[in-house]
């Protein structure tokens, strides 16, 4: 009996020590350990967080929560990416010669759905508001006021104004905005389609000032951002996006030639829905 009593006493001590150790671990995690792990997650961790946040379905237009790890990644420089073959910034040509929308009157604007400078086309599609904040990675994420962002993307059919057949005379879905005192810009546009061979995306270039935007020579950063898969699947159920459904089924972030190395710094946060429209946000870090 004494031997069994001693064994029982030892077992109880072991259980109590294990429980105490677990409580200590939980206190450590709640005090900051979990935050440290999330902050070190990198692109894959941010992408996984986005997928988990959006997998439950549509986020309503009144939702204020974010779906990406923007806060933990806001002090990282956004990756430099190709401007692609359709920049319209004077760096290449279209059928009419040098293609430079940046010199046109009216290019500095928030609503980019219509063409300007004599062109009359208007891009149709699911309403989309894009909000970007420009921050300085060399100065503790300080807001960068007085910079300029030129943004462009394809229409719901996957065509780029100024370049694609049928819309070479148009210049819609292109515009420039100057960052305000908090480094913010906002564009009103339509949800871009998915054309064959690329994940849906939006291009943008960062310039040191509004006066420097007349030539691509002056840009300090070129990049792209994309959207959560749940948002893409929902948006493409809307009228006019039939081809996007097919094209999206043949591509993924992992096989995309831009986003295959990760989307952690280029995945927007999303609120809204396909019927009311979407609002997407992204913090853009540059070394200024």
């Amino acid at each position: 009996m004494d031997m069994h009593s001693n064994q029982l006493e030892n077992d109880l001590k072991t259980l109590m020590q294990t429980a105490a150790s677990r409580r200590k671990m939980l206190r450590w995690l709640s005090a900051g350990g979990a935050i440290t792990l999330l902050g070190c997650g990198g692109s894959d961790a941010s992408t996984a967080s986005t997928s988990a946040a959006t997998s439950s379905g549509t986020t309503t237009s009144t939702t204020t929560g974010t779906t990406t790890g923007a806060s933990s990644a806001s002090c990282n420089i956004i990756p430099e990416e190709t401007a692609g073959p359709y920049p319209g910034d004077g760096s290449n040509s279209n059928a009419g010669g040098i293609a430079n929308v940046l010199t046109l009157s009216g290019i500095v604007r928030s609503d980019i759905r219509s063409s300007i400078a004599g062109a009359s086309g208007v891009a149709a599609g699911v309403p989309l508001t894009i909000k970007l904040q420009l921050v300085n990675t060399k100065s503790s994420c300080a807001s960068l006021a007085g910079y300029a962002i030129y943004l462009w993307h394809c229409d719901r059919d996957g065509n780029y104004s100024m370049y694609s057949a049928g819309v070479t005379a148009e210049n819609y879905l292109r515009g420039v905005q100057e960052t305000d005192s908090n480094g913010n810009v906002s564009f009103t546009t339509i949800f871009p389609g998915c054309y064959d061979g690329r994940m849906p995306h939006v291009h943008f270039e960062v310039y040191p000032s509004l006066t420097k935007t007349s030539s691509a020579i002056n840009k300090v950063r070129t990049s792209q951002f994309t959207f959560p898969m749940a948002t893409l699947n929902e948006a493409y159920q809307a009228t006019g996006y039939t081809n996007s459904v097919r094209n999206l089924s043949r591509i993924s972030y992992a096989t995309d030639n831009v986003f295959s190395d990760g989307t952690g710094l280029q995945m927007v946060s999303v609120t809204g829905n396909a019927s009311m429209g979407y609002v997407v946000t992204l913090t853009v870090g540059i070394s200024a």
Side-chain angles (χ1 to χ4, degrees), residues 4-260:
H4 289 301
S5 298
N6 289 336
Q7 183 62 48
L8 177 60
E9 182 179 357
N10 289 335
D11 290 344
L12 288 173
K13 287 181 178 180
T14 299
L15 287 171
M16 292 175 67
Q17 289 171 352
T18 300
S21 178
R22 287 177 177 173
R23 287 195 297 272
K24 182 179 180 181
M25 178 63 73
L26 289 173
R27 285 196 300 271
W28 179 85
L29 286 172
S30 64
I35 295 173
T36 302
L37 289 173
L38 288 173
C40 295
S43 298
D44 292 340
S46 298
T47 304
S49 175
T50 300
S51 301
T54 57
S55 61
S56 59
T58 304
T59 306
T60 64
S61 57
T62 57
T63 299
T64 57
T66 60
T67 58
T68 69
S71 61
S72 64
S74 59
C75 279
N76 293 326
I77 299 175
I78 196 163
E80 179 77 13
E81 306 289 8
T82 176
Y86 315 116
D89 60 4
S91 62
N92 69 5
S93 300
N94 59 11
I98 299 298
N100 192 353
V101 74
L102 298 175
T103 61
L104 297 181
S105 175
I107 192 59
V108 179
R109 57 192 181 144
S110 177
D111 191 333
I112 63 175
R113 291 173 293 184
S114 61
S115 291
I116 56 174
S120 58
V122 178
V126 173
L128 174 66
T129 299
I130 297 172
K131 296 183 177 183
L132 305 178
Q133 183 183 32
L134 192 66
V135 299
N136 187 0
T137 61
K138 293 176 65 177
S139 184
S140 301
C141 295
S143 300
L144 286 172
Y147 276 66
I149 295 180
Y150 165 45
L151 179 145
W152 73 98
H153 61 82
C154 69
D155 61 22
R156 69 179 178 184
D157 296 315
N159 296 319
Y160 282 89
S161 65
M162 304 175 67
Y163 294 88
S164 300
V167 294
T168 55
E170 304 297 344
N171 48 50
Y172 53 54
L173 306 182
R174 300 176 184 274
V176 174
Q177 281 282 285
E178 182 179 27
T179 59
D180 64 16
S181 59
N182 294 314
N184 295 319
V185 296
S186 178
F187 293 92
T188 300
T189 184
I190 58 99
F191 205 93
C194 179
Y195 56 86
D196 200 19
R198 280 299 316 275
M199 285 295 290
H201 59 281
V202 173
H203 296 265
F204 64 93
E205 294 173 345
V206 180
Y207 289 81
S209 69
L210 200 57
T211 59
K212 294 284 189 180
T213 58
S214 60
S215 173
I217 296 174
N218 300 319
K219 64 183 179 180
V220 296
R221 202 73 181 170
T222 303
S223 196
Q224 303 177 25
F225 61 78
T226 188
F227 307 85
M229 184 61 75
T231 302
L232 296 173
N233 287 330
E234 181 191 66
Y236 292 159
Q237 296 304 308
T239 301
Y241 290 93
T242 302
N243 290 338
S244 293
V245 174
R246 182 185 65 250
N247 293 332
L248 184 62
S249 69
R250 298 198 289 246
I251 189 71
S252 68
Y253 302 121
T255 58
D256 185 83
N257 63 6
V258 169
F259 302 123
S260 58

Side-chain angles (χ1 to χ4, degrees), residues 256-275:
D256 185 83
N257 63 6
V258 169
F259 302 123
S260 58
D261 59 353
T263 61
L265 300 176
Q266 297 164 281
M267 181 67 71
V268 295
S269 299
V270 183
T271 60
N273 54 55
S275 59

